[in-house]
Amino acid sequence: MKTKGIPREILHLLGCALLILNGFAVFLSGTPYQHASGVTVSFSLANVLWMFAFPIFAFLLVEAYRNTQDFRKLAAGVLIFAVVFEIPFDLVQCWRVFDLSLNNQFFTLFLGLLALKILHGSWNPVWKVLGILALCAVSCVARCEYGPCGILLVLLFWNTRTGRYSWLVRLAGMLALAWLSLGLSLRGISSMIVPERLPFGGGYVESQYLYVLSLIPISFCGRGGVIEKKVVYFAYGLLPIAFLAIYFLRRGILGV
């Protein structure tokens, strides 16, 4: 890892900020349009913020796995946060206290962490592949955000940590995963990236592909330590509180 650049703590804060800003998208009305597949979806610029956050968290997860000396503690922390965040997330996204139709992206990050553990285990290569495929299947059944493509993105970041052209492989891989996730989500197989289009040059561009722009702050990431970890912990602790506040604001302002 580079010694210069954006401290990792800044990326943590950026990811949390993007999720909170995305939560306010519920106050904005989207523009409906019919996708080429026949599925009617809506476009809201605020929703695009959501897709920039996950690659940042996936990158940070790989860095945490790379530097951790206690995998169980790391895995337990990610899973506990996913569980704590789920109710506020469901209230904002589904307007129910608990909804199994969509589960937050931190569950996907937890599965991605398990995939990294399998990858570096002493298993037979065939069993490793089957184990990772099983985790991808779990993400589909559990309706986790980003689903199997989120798990594969974590593995992509791990395998492109070094190398002269690693950034190019990372870029190509993310574009391929965006294409795959679009196809799967439109077919109802998994809930990964909301199919939306952005107006561009008199036409449209699939917004899923724009999540590669998250590589810009990621590429400038250096070592951590500039900002106190207490600030990072505060930001993650603020996430469920902010989502609860957004939910109650919507009920108070819009009455639903």
Side-chain angles (χ1 to χ4, degrees):
M1 174 67 68
K2 300 173 293 183
T3 57
K4 297 182 180 181
I6 300 174
R8 281 198 294 264
E9 294 88 348
I10 294 294
L11 287 186
H12 283 288
L13 299 181
L14 176 60
C16 292
L18 288 173
L19 283 189
I20 292 174
L21 289 174
N22 171 253
F24 284 98
V26 297
F27 295 101
L28 305 176
S29 58
T31 303
Y33 69 92
Q34 190 173 46
H35 196 272
S37 65
V39 177
T40 299
V41 295
S42 64
F43 161 73
S44 174
L45 185 59
N47 280 333
V48 178
L49 298 174
W50 173 52
M51 65 184 70
F52 293 133
F54 184 82
I56 291 175
F57 288 131
F59 170 80
L60 292 170
L61 181 75
V62 167
E63 290 300 302
Y65 175 77
R66 182 182 181 184
N67 295 296
T68 189
Q69 296 179 350
D70 191 339
F71 173 81
R72 292 185 178 181
K73 183 178 179 179
L74 175 61
V78 175
L79 180 59
I80 290 172
F81 183 80
V83 173
V84 171
F85 185 54
E86 184 60 24
I87 290 179
F89 172 82
D90 284 341
L91 287 172
V92 170
Q93 298 294 334
C94 310
W95 307 109
R96 299 175 185 174
V97 175
F98 190 70
D99 193 303
L100 294 177
S101 64
L102 183 64
N103 292 300
N104 71 76
Q105 60 187 266
F106 293 98
F107 284 109
T108 307
L109 291 171
F110 172 72
L111 295 175
L113 191 59
L114 295 183
L116 287 174
K117 187 64 173 178
I118 290 175
L119 186 66
H120 294 93
S122 57
W123 297 11
N124 180 283
V126 175
W127 284 109
K128 287 184 179 182
V129 172
L130 292 177
I132 292 173
L133 289 177
L135 292 175
C136 291
V138 169
S139 71
C140 290
V141 174
R143 306 295 294 175
C144 298
E145 289 183 301
Y146 280 84
C149 290
I151 296 173
L152 294 177
L153 181 60
V154 171
L155 297 178
L156 174 66
F157 277 133
W158 175 263
N159 288 291
T160 55
R161 301 184 317 282
T162 58
R164 185 175 181 181
Y165 298 105
S166 59
W167 65 270
L168 184 59
V169 177
R170 185 174 288 180
L171 175 63
M174 290 182 69
L175 289 173
L177 290 176
W179 173 81
L180 178 60
S181 67
L182 175 62
L184 292 177
S185 59
L186 287 174
R187 289 168 176 79
I189 297 174
S190 184
S191 301
M192 286 161 284
I193 304 177
V194 178
E196 292 181 336
R197 288 178 173 180
L198 292 173
F200 181 78
Y204 295 93
V205 59
E206 299 290 353
S207 61
Q208 288 78 4
Y209 297 106
L210 297 182
Y211 89 140
V212 298
L213 295 178
S214 60
L215 288 176
I216 296 176
I218 288 174
S219 65
F220 287 104
C221 180
R223 293 189 185 277
V226 177
I227 299 177
E228 291 189 13
K229 289 185 177 180
K230 293 180 181 179
V231 178
V232 176
Y233 294 149
F234 174 80
Y236 281 100
L238 184 63
L239 263 181
I241 297 174
F243 269 61
L244 285 174
I246 291 170
Y247 169 72
F248 286 114
L249 275 175
R250 186 178 191 267
R251 287 191 65 97
I253 296 174
L254 304 179
V256 292

